[in-house]
Structure formats: C-alpha cells, structure tokens
Amino acid sequence: MSGILYGIGVGPGDPELMTLKACRILRENEVIAAPGESVKDTVAYKIAVQAVPEIADKMLMPIFMPMVMNKAEQIENHKKGARQIENVLDEGKNVVFITLGDPTIYSTFSYVQEIVEAD
C-alpha cells in the first residue's frame, strides 16, 4: 500500500470545534470515507462539510458496517470495510475516515485501522 489512512474525529457535534489539523487533512486529501450506506447521510459528514465545504466535491466512500449482535458478522463487516479502503490505498491515494468524537476510542475506525495495519 502506498496511500495513507487517516482517522479524523469531527468532534462532539459543533463544526467550530473541529481541529485545524482535521480541517487541513480533509482539505488536502481526495477520498473521504465514513461508516454507513451513504457518506452524505452520516452525522460525521454533516458536521465536517460545515467546517470544510470542499469535501462535497471529493470522492466519498461509504463503508457499510451495520451494527449487528453477531460477533462473527461484525468482524466480517470490518474486514470488508478494510478491503475497500486498502483497494484505494493500493492506488496510491490517501483515505480520510471521518467519525464522531475521537476515532481511537470506541470507534469503527479503530477496528478498520487494526485490519489495515495488519495487512
């Protein structure tokens, strides 16, 4: 893989609370991923686009990982999401995975990150 995967937390809900670094990373990279069926329908995107309106013109990559009780199905969904991201990283493109709050604490990003790093 030659691209870089970034995990960006959009904060607690107010776009003015996003960090300058988060906004810069969103501006500088062309692929924006978010957990869900449609990136534009996610709360994380709706917050981020207020702070960085130009993300609306970037490649948006939905990573569908539904909340299910079956642990094996959860793991399989995380693996599918990681593979989607890895395909883009293999093209040499960076991927910015946006999520609510902190991407390293109880976040779908942390599961995907672990798989991507292992691969």
Side-chain angles (χ1 to χ4, degrees):
M1 285 178 267
S2 56
I4 297 170
L5 173 60
Y6 295 96
I8 298 292
V10 298
D14 183 342
E16 291 183 356
L17 295 176
M18 286 181 55
T19 66
L20 293 173
K21 187 171 188 175
C23 292
R24 179 181 58 78
I25 296 292
L26 286 166
R27 280 189 191 96
E28 291 177 353
N29 294 283
E30 61 188 290
V31 182
I32 310 299
E37 289 186 86
S38 166
V39 173
K40 288 187 175 184
D41 291 336
T42 67
V43 175
Y45 175 84
K46 290 175 182 178
I47 293 166
V49 76
Q50 291 177 68
V52 186
E54 55 268 39
I55 68 170
D57 299 324
K58 295 182 182 281
M59 179 183 161
L60 302 177
M61 181 188 329
I63 306 297
F64 186 57
M65 296 182 287
M67 299 280 252
V68 293
M69 298 303 291
N70 182 306
K71 189 67 172 171
E73 190 176 344
Q74 284 177 359
I75 292 168
E76 189 56 36
N77 288 331
H78 294 153
K79 287 180 181 178
K80 285 179 188 176
R83 301 296 175 265
Q84 280 181 262
I85 291 169
E86 289 172 347
N87 288 337
V88 174
L89 296 174
D90 287 342
E91 294 173 8
K93 296 177 184 173
N94 297 340
V95 176
V96 181
F97 189 108
I98 56 174
T99 186
L100 294 174
D102 184 332
T104 63
I105 301 173
Y106 302 116
S107 169
T108 49
F109 172 74
S110 60
Y111 299 111
V112 171
Q113 176 191 18
E114 186 176 311
I115 295 165
V116 170
E117 286 179 351
D119 290 345

